[in-house]
Amino acid sequence: MEDDCLPTADIIALIDKAAQAGMVHYILWGGEPLAADALPEFLARAKTNGMRTVVCTSGYRLKDRAREIAPLIDHLLLSLEAVGEKQDKLRGCPGLYQRMVQGLDAYTAYGSGSTFLWSNVSKKNKDQVRSLALFAREHGIGIEFFPAALYPGYNEDLMLNGQERDHVFSEIKQLKKEGFPVRNTRYALELMRSQRLFKCNIARLGVQVASDGRLYPCEPRFFEGLPSYGHINEVDFTHPAFLKDYTRYRKQFSSCNACLMPCVAHTADSLIMQSCRRFLNYTYYH
């Protein structure tokens, strides 16, 4: 099978290019970032460029790699949908839950960055929200919930219906009120519960890089035929051609409501107001 992943040198060059263009966060997520042998190089380069580093992982390889990567991560996101063996069954990976717990302990020993659970809520784990919040509290970390996003032709049967979504996110709001470490803002949780339309600012705030090196305004898996900015070896973030595309895609995707991951919900609608809400939410919990 031909490997379509980017060479290490290209990724390093992209990190430099992004930093020079004023980007301040370097975020790595699915597939599985911890599968990349050169991950410490990427994180170190981003840190050298003054960027904050964020890694989202299932935690399966975290124990094995904690020593080399934990000091380089500012914000760790652990994907967790259930507590115990149910997590293994949901993910189809025996032993995953135990390895994740061991990895969390190892990461805490070697790193000083913040750690959150990211919990994707669907029909299969809607009964798990209190157990997940208890896990977060017992381990001294935060948790952010979000409704499962639709991937056409793949997971339609997992989507919460309107009544289920109202019930689940009302329960999560109550858990936050009770003092559980739910780090979603109340605004974000209400957005998830109500299912109302919102303005998405993700295309305004960054670009997404696929494994083949093409740059996108949003997550390519959500849209068939999603427009690309081009390949990282060709795109100049300061060139008028890129800025023209960026402006067009930013407007085009502002009405997209395909997902409500925390990064989307916490930047939805007014960025100024959301920044204030996030600051107050952070201050309250720290």
Side-chain angles (χ1 to χ4, degrees):
M1 180 182 294
E2 182 177 344
D3 186 1
D4 66 349
C5 292
L6 286 170
T8 296
D10 282 357
I11 297 177
I12 294 295
L14 170 63
I15 295 170
D16 290 342
K17 184 186 294 187
Q20 291 165 8
M23 297 185 187
V24 296
H25 286 87
Y26 178 58
I27 303 171
L28 289 160
W29 63 346
E32 175 50 66
L34 271 61
D37 292 338
L39 179 60
E41 293 182 58
F42 305 150
L43 295 170
R45 190 58 165 248
K47 297 289 285 183
T48 298
N49 277 300
M51 305 173 84
R52 290 185 61 79
T53 54
V54 182
V55 174
C56 184
T57 174
S58 70
Y60 188 81
R61 303 187 185 195
L62 186 56
K63 180 182 177 182
D64 301 331
R65 306 206 66 182
R67 183 190 294 269
E68 60 177 336
I69 65 172
L72 300 169
I73 297 175
D74 293 306
H75 195 70
L76 179 72
L77 302 174
L78 283 173
S79 296
L80 187 66
E81 288 82 41
V83 174
E85 293 184 2
K86 184 164 184 175
Q87 173 72 353
D88 301 353
K89 293 178 181 178
L90 287 174
R91 289 285 181 128
C93 182
L96 172 59
Y97 177 78
Q98 189 60 35
R99 288 181 65 96
M100 185 278 296
V101 174
Q102 294 171 348
L104 175 58
D105 291 340
Y107 177 83
T108 301
Y110 293 115
S112 58
S114 60
T115 303
F116 280 23
L117 300 179
W118 257 26
S119 189
N120 183 359
V121 185
S122 71
K123 285 183 180 294
K124 288 193 173 183
N125 71 328
K126 59 186 175 66
D127 62 335
Q128 289 284 303
V129 295
R130 181 169 287 270
S131 296
L132 289 162
L134 279 167
F135 179 96
R137 185 168 70 180
E138 290 168 0
H139 287 80
I141 58 179
I143 183 169
E144 292 182 333
F145 294 95
F146 57 102
L150 175 65
Y151 292 92
Y154 174 67
N155 68 345
E156 285 91 345
D157 60 324
L158 300 182
M159 296 298 98
L160 298 171
N161 62 38
Q163 184 177 5
E164 290 170 328
R165 191 154 152 180
D166 181 288
H167 176 78
V168 168
F169 285 94
S170 293
E171 181 181 0
I172 294 169
K173 288 176 69 176
Q174 180 60 32
L175 290 171
K176 184 178 180 72
K177 186 176 181 180
E178 291 175 17
F180 283 89
V182 176
R183 298 301 188 247
N184 304 85
T185 64
R186 289 180 174 81
Y187 187 92
L189 290 174
E190 180 57 24
L191 192 61
M192 295 171 184
R193 186 204 66 78
S194 69
Q195 305 169 71
R196 70 164 176 81
L197 297 178
F198 60 89
K199 177 184 177 182
C200 182
N201 289 300
I202 291 300
R204 177 181 179 181
L205 296 172
V207 295
Q208 300 212 26
V209 188
S211 61
D212 62 359
R214 299 197 71 78
L215 307 181
Y216 294 91
C218 187
E219 170 57 63
R221 290 175 294 179
F222 287 137
F223 306 99
E224 184 176 352
L226 182 71
S228 167
Y229 291 118
H231 194 274
I232 63 167
N233 292 333
E234 305 166 351
V235 173
D236 178 354
F237 292 131
T238 63
H239 194 279
F242 169 80
L243 297 175
K244 182 179 179 180
D245 285 343
Y246 165 76
T247 299
R248 181 168 71 254
Y249 296 154
R250 184 185 73 185
K251 293 178 179 178
Q252 178 181 342
F253 287 98
S254 66
S255 60
C256 175
N257 280 212
C259 75
L260 255 178
M261 290 183 288
C263 54
V264 174
H266 288 147
T267 58
D269 299 325
S270 168
L271 283 175
I272 294 176
M273 291 301 298
Q274 291 289 55
S275 296
C276 292
R277 292 185 183 102
R278 287 291 282 168
F279 175 76
L280 293 173
N281 193 63
Y282 178 89
T283 302
Y284 176 80
Y285 286 107
H286 290 77

